[in-house]
Amino acid sequence: MKKLLRLSSLLVTAVLLAFSSQKSYATHMQGGDMTYACIAPNTFVVTMKLYSDCSGVTPPSSASLNAKSTGCNPGRNIPMTKIGATRIGDPYCPSIPKTCASNQLVNYQEVVFKATVTFSATEAQCADWIFSWSECCRPSTANLNGQGTLYLEAYVKLFTPNLPGATPTNIVHNNSSPEFNNLNIPIPFVCYNQEVRYSMNALEFDGDSVSYELDSSMESATLPATYNPIGSGPNGTIINPAPQPPFNTIPPGQPGSNPQIAIFGGGVTTNYSPTYPLSSYNVTWTQGQQVVFAQPYFFLDPQTGEIAFRPSEYYPNTASNLGKNKYAVVVKIKEWRKINGVMVNVGYIRRDIMFIIEDCGGNTPPVTDPRPVPPIFGTVIGDTVYKVQTCTSTRITVDFKDQNANDSVTVFFNPGAGSTLPNGSFQVFDNGTSKTRAVINITPLPSDIGRVFLIPVRLEDNSCPLKGVSNEVIKIEVISNNRVDILDTVQTICLGESLPITANLMRPDSILGDTASYRYQWEAAPGLNPADQKKKNIVVTPTQDTWYRVTVRNASLNGCFDYDSILVKVNPIPVINDIKVAYGPNKENKQHIVYGRSAQINVNLSKVDTGFTYSWSPGRDLSDSTVMNPIASPLKTTKYTLTVKSADGQCKATKSVDVIVGPFFLPNVITPNGDKLNDVFEYVGIQPNTSLKIFSRWGVLIKEYSSYDNSFGGEGVSDGTYYYIMQEPNGGKSYKGWFEIVRD
């Protein structure tokens, strides 16, 4: 897109002055909407969002909601609470201050109110309720007469009485209305003489069907606004802003003028209306032809809620309070719920929108540019509509582009946009660059045939001062697929197990609907009972990896068949015969590890497979917890559990073993008095054949043993403190310390 910042500084100043001159001196209520959420039976939280003109009066700080059931209950007023601070609009580029004042650029501010409405038992006897709010006044607009009251309403049906075939006869709905994406503000700035796409971005969370229709602006529940006569441009014509030679852009009536002109064709009405609320025409400019026809063009897609038009009138340098470039548009969004085969309108909401037409200085909004989809997967219709087939994974890539390849495009979307797609996802890549794109993955099932999935997106470029904005909806329709998917591709079992296999016709209706009759033929294979070869469901017991192939034929249509196959992989089942601990020698001659020593764990399997994996738990104090025979070095008795798994982890066996750790003790006092308690210097938990040297406190060797046998009882020495050195054999551990001899 052409950035206005690329204009000369003088021209930029002129543009800003033109924007700032459009200030309003009148009133303020530009638009709004009202939604509701059922939080409990007959209890609703109603949310109202109001949008006021920054150059008007201060938005209200309080509001009163009216709830009424016409013909059943006179209703009542409920105070509404303002939620959060007033939010200032952000339609301009970052270099333009985000302000809200009468002497600044045209802007809006948002204020939000909420109220909780609980219907009493008497009120709950009335089925149909209208929530409403109104306040004077709207700004002046080009399509509405005067500056009437802004009236907002939402409808909720508490129950459907006397529904045929229903039990009970009154069906309670507990309905919540659709909600609007916070990025989609109903005060869009749109470019004169450029294609506009504006989506409602309404999100429906109850699973109801939603339809969209244009509706009249209202001043009260029963008073529609009066629409002005249609402005038709100079002398009822449209001048081509980019004519081809020999035509030029010199205004009519001036010397050298030779414009290319479009005149209005059939279908033009004299007044604006709810279905044609602003001047918008489609013109096909023909080279070499000076006069062509223009046709009215203002379209709302009733299924997606996307509005498409091309503003054909713009009045430069006019004050905002005159409303010459403002148009009020109302869209009603209805919810439909199928109950006992009957489609019931369970509620609706209305959105009051204020379109503001601006001269964007040649800048055009971003557009979607879909990449082709292979015909075997789906088709692309226009820019945003896709038809995809069932039982096939389809990838859709949408580029978001600008006419100027260097301009960046930022996409705003609902973070959960991909969650509604069957087996699908929605991701945006390189957002905020000139290469922004979205990738959509979807794998619809047969049950999705006929369903339509909508992904609203908001596109913004980085033009300045006014950003180019486009609100669009990517629409995905699911159609039937003439290909039958039968089986999964790979299954794994353990040796000795059986596997049931089903020739599952994912798309039987793609051949002959519900009346189709099918024949099955399985190829002979090990593990398949020959008597089962013509069955839909089989059970196989292979002893090795085996392919099973089936052909499915339609019994009524020759040549209509499909086939598929499945690989059944067979994994050996590990069998742990025994686990033993290789305890070393110890003085006590017991089955335990000498404290501080190690022992190898030895595992005996019926069969060792190279694909087996091993896992010991706990893994601490093991040389390697992932090998078959680790070395254990615990400091206390520990139970280790081994899990042996096949290569794919499907088959496993477990067994445990206790690794026992012996005690450790060296005395620091002996009492050789004959009571058989501590009479000798006795150690525990040290290897046999350990040498011992005993020294006096002055370092004199008084006793020496090459293989100490726990027999020293202080013979030949007096009471006192003595020191020792113990050395295990073969360069083992040494121990140094002291002990006392006490005989009394």
Side-chain angles (χ1 to χ4, degrees):
M1 291 180 185
K2 182 180 179 183
K3 293 186 182 178
L4 297 188
L5 285 178
R6 296 183 181 135
L7 301 175
S8 68
S9 59
L10 181 61
L11 181 54
V12 170
T13 302
V15 171
L16 293 176
L17 289 175
F19 275 114
S20 63
S21 67
Q22 295 191 20
K23 56 185 180 179
S24 172
Y25 301 97
T27 47
H28 54 286
M29 307 312 296
Q30 292 180 306
D33 51 62
M34 185 180 293
T35 59
Y36 55 85
C38 181
I39 60 173
N42 296 324
T43 300
F44 298 83
V45 173
V46 180
T47 301
M48 180 174 66
K49 295 181 180 180
L50 300 176
Y51 300 88
S52 63
D53 193 328
C54 270
S55 56
V57 301
T58 302
S61 58
S62 62
S64 179
L65 177 73
N66 180 261
K68 180 180 180 180
S69 180
T70 304
C72 183
N73 191 293
R76 53 193 170 95
N77 292 324
I78 301 101
M80 303 192 81
T81 302
K82 183 180 178 183
I83 305 299
T86 300
R87 185 165 70 94
I88 300 173
D90 188 23
Y92 302 103
C93 62
S95 62
I96 304 300
K98 183 179 175 181
T99 59
C100 189
S102 60
N103 61 346
Q104 300 296 325
L105 300 180
V106 175
N107 205 350
Y108 62 87
Q109 46 192 338
E110 177 193 69
V111 60
V112 180
F113 295 94
K114 286 184 182 290
T116 299
V117 180
T118 300
F119 292 109
S120 66
T122 300
E123 292 173 329
Q125 299 301 310
C126 300
D128 304 293
W129 285 85
I130 295 289
F131 300 125
S132 66
W133 170 92
S134 62
E135 183 172 311
C136 187
C137 298
R138 294 177 180 269
S140 295
T141 60
N143 62 341
L144 299 183
N145 183 262
Q147 296 176 273
T149 297
L150 176 67
Y151 172 79
L152 303 179
E153 75 172 20
Y155 161 67
V156 59
K157 195 176 192 68
L158 297 185
F159 60 89
T160 298
N162 304 319
L163 191 67
T167 302
T169 57
N170 292 346
I171 302 298
V172 178
H173 303 310
N174 296 325
N175 181 55
S176 295
S177 73
E179 297 181 6
F180 294 107
N181 192 308
N182 288 331
L183 298 173
N184 187 12
I185 303 300
I187 314 296
F189 290 68
V190 296
C191 297
Y192 164 62
N193 204 34
Q194 293 184 17
E195 180 76 10
V196 175
R197 298 273 185 90
Y198 178 83
S199 169
M200 293 299 104
N201 283 359
L203 305 175
E204 214 296 316
F205 299 103
D206 289 342
D208 299 324
S209 298
V210 175
S211 65
Y212 299 84
E213 61 187 55
L214 292 165
D215 203 4
S216 175
S217 294
M218 303 292 291
E219 296 192 13
S220 70
T222 58
L223 180 62
T226 302
Y227 285 83
N228 285 331
I230 295 176
S232 58
N235 301 318
T237 61
I238 299 173
I239 308 299
N240 188 355
Q244 297 182 5
F247 311 111
N248 59 40
T249 57
I250 300 174
Q254 295 188 14
S257 174
N258 187 28
Q260 193 173 25
I261 300 171
I263 61 175
F264 300 141
V268 178
T269 58
T270 57
N271 279 47
Y272 293 114
S273 68
T275 56
Y276 188 71
L278 58 80
S279 294
S280 172
Y281 297 92
N282 258 342
V283 179
T284 301
W285 300 103
T286 305
Q287 186 173 5
Q289 186 174 341
Q290 184 171 24
V291 179
V292 297
F293 285 101
Q295 299 294 333
Y297 170 52
F298 192 93
F299 175 73
L300 169 66
D301 188 319
Q303 194 173 48
T304 67
E306 183 178 74
I307 298 174
F309 62 98
R310 182 185 297 273
S312 61
E313 286 191 38
Y314 174 70
Y315 298 90
N317 303 318
T318 59
S320 179
N321 64 313
L322 298 179
K324 299 284 284 184
N325 297 312
K326 298 179 179 180
Y327 296 85
V329 178
V330 176
V331 176
K332 178 183 285 188
I333 305 170
K334 292 183 176 180
E335 290 180 276
W336 302 89
R337 188 172 300 178
K338 195 170 188 177
I339 305 174
N340 285 26
V342 178
M343 293 299 290
V344 177
N345 178 204
V346 295
Y348 69 72
I349 57 177
R350 286 163 40 96
R351 185 165 229 202
D352 253 79
I353 307 164
M354 177 73 73
F355 284 105
I356 300 176
I357 314 300
E358 294 287 0
D359 182 355
C360 295
N363 183 52
T364 56
V367 296
T368 57
D369 184 18
R371 299 183 189 179
V373 177
I376 62 171
F377 297 126
T379 55
V380 184
I381 302 175
D383 293 338
T384 57
V385 179
Y386 298 83
K387 292 183 181 292
V388 299
Q389 299 177 5
T390 57
C391 304
T392 302
S393 296
T394 301
R395 171 168 288 188
I396 298 169
T397 301
V398 184
D399 293 322
F400 302 107
K401 292 187 175 181
D402 200 288
Q403 289 184 3
N404 188 320
N406 294 322
D407 281 356
S408 64
V409 178
T410 300
V411 181
F412 299 92
F413 58 94
N414 176 17
S419 62
T420 60
L421 302 177
N423 307 303
S425 63
F426 177 86
Q427 293 178 286
V428 174
F429 298 91
D430 298 322
N431 208 2
T433 72
S434 60
K435 298 180 180 180
T436 304
R437 68 192 188 283
V439 175
I440 306 167
N441 291 304
I442 180 171
T443 307
L445 300 177
S447 58
D448 297 315
I449 293 177
R451 294 184 65 185
V452 176
F453 300 92
L454 307 176
I455 303 178
V457 294
R458 175 183 172 89
L459 314 179
E460 288 187 3
D461 67 14
N462 58 339
S463 180
C464 200
L466 187 65
K467 294 180 287 190
V469 177
S470 180
N471 288 279
E472 301 190 9
V473 174
I474 299 172
K475 178 180 178 182
I476 302 174
E477 300 179 8
V478 180
I479 60 177
S480 63
N481 188 350
N482 58 4
R483 177 173 173 264
V484 180
D485 289 337
I486 300 176
L487 299 171
D488 295 330
T489 56
V490 180
Q491 288 282 356
T492 302
I493 63 172
C494 301
L495 181 64
E497 293 182 346
S498 296
L499 176 70
I501 303 175
T502 300
N504 187 22
L505 286 174
M506 300 295 290
R507 293 291 303 120
D509 55 301
S510 66
I511 299 177
L512 197 61
D514 295 332
T515 64
S517 176
Y518 297 90
R519 294 175 181 170
Y520 302 84
Q521 182 64 53
W522 294 88
E523 294 182 10
L528 170 62
N529 187 340
D532 295 337
Q533 285 183 256
K534 294 186 178 182
K535 293 181 179 180
K536 177 179 181 179
N537 304 316
I538 63 173
V539 176
V540 298
T541 310
T543 58
Q544 61 186 10
D545 295 355
T546 304
W547 281 97
Y548 295 93
R549 297 175 175 85
V550 65
T551 299
V552 184
R553 296 182 181 275
N554 188 294
S556 304
L557 299 174
N558 292 331
C560 289
F561 69 94
D562 205 350
Y563 59 88
D564 208 344
S565 60
I566 180 173
L567 173 61
V568 180
K569 291 186 174 182
V570 180
N571 283 335
I573 300 178
V575 177
I576 305 174
N577 293 329
D578 196 11
I579 304 178
K580 292 184 177 180
V581 182
Y583 294 116
N586 58 77
K587 188 176 186 305
E588 294 79 17
N589 293 318
K590 295 181 179 179
Q591 291 294 300
H592 64 70
I593 298 176
V594 174
Y595 181 88
R597 298 301 188 274
S598 302
Q600 183 163 334
I601 303 176
N602 295 315
V603 178
N604 179 264
L605 300 179
S606 292
K607 180 182 178 181
V608 177
D609 189 278
T610 56
F612 284 171
T613 60
Y614 306 88
S615 176
W616 289 90
S617 178
R620 65 177 181 271
D621 301 323
L622 294 178
S623 59
D624 190 341
S625 63
T626 63
V627 298
M628 180 177 172
N629 300 314
I631 296 174
S633 305
L635 296 179
K636 63 179 180 179
T637 299
T638 303
K639 181 184 289 294
Y640 290 99
T641 300
L642 170 65
T643 299
V644 184
K645 291 184 179 180
S646 58
D648 66 349
Q650 298 293 320
C651 310
K652 66 180 181 179
T654 61
K655 196 175 185 65
S656 298
V657 65
D658 289 325
V659 177
I660 302 171
V661 178
F664 179 85
F665 175 74
L666 280 172
N668 58 12
V669 63
I670 63 173
T671 58
N673 54 12
D675 64 358
K676 297 184 180 181
L677 296 176
N678 302 320
D679 283 343
V680 295
F681 183 85
E682 181 179 9
Y683 68 80
V684 178
I686 296 177
Q687 289 187 7
N689 301 318
T690 296
S691 65
L692 172 66
K693 293 180 179 180
I694 301 175
F695 302 87
S696 70
R697 61 190 300 180
W698 295 280
V700 178
L701 178 65
I702 63 170
K703 203 73 173 177
E704 182 176 5
Y705 299 85
S706 61
S707 179
Y708 182 59
D709 58 355
N710 285 338
S711 62
F712 177 70
E715 295 84 2
V717 297
S718 61
D719 290 3
T721 301
Y722 295 85
Y723 298 86
Y724 64 87
I725 297 175
M726 302 184 75
Q727 178 63 53
E728 292 182 342
N730 302 319
K733 289 187 177 182
S734 62
Y735 304 88
K736 297 179 181 180
W738 59 271
F739 67 95
E740 287 187 293
I741 299 177
V742 180
R743 290 184 171 85
D744 294 336

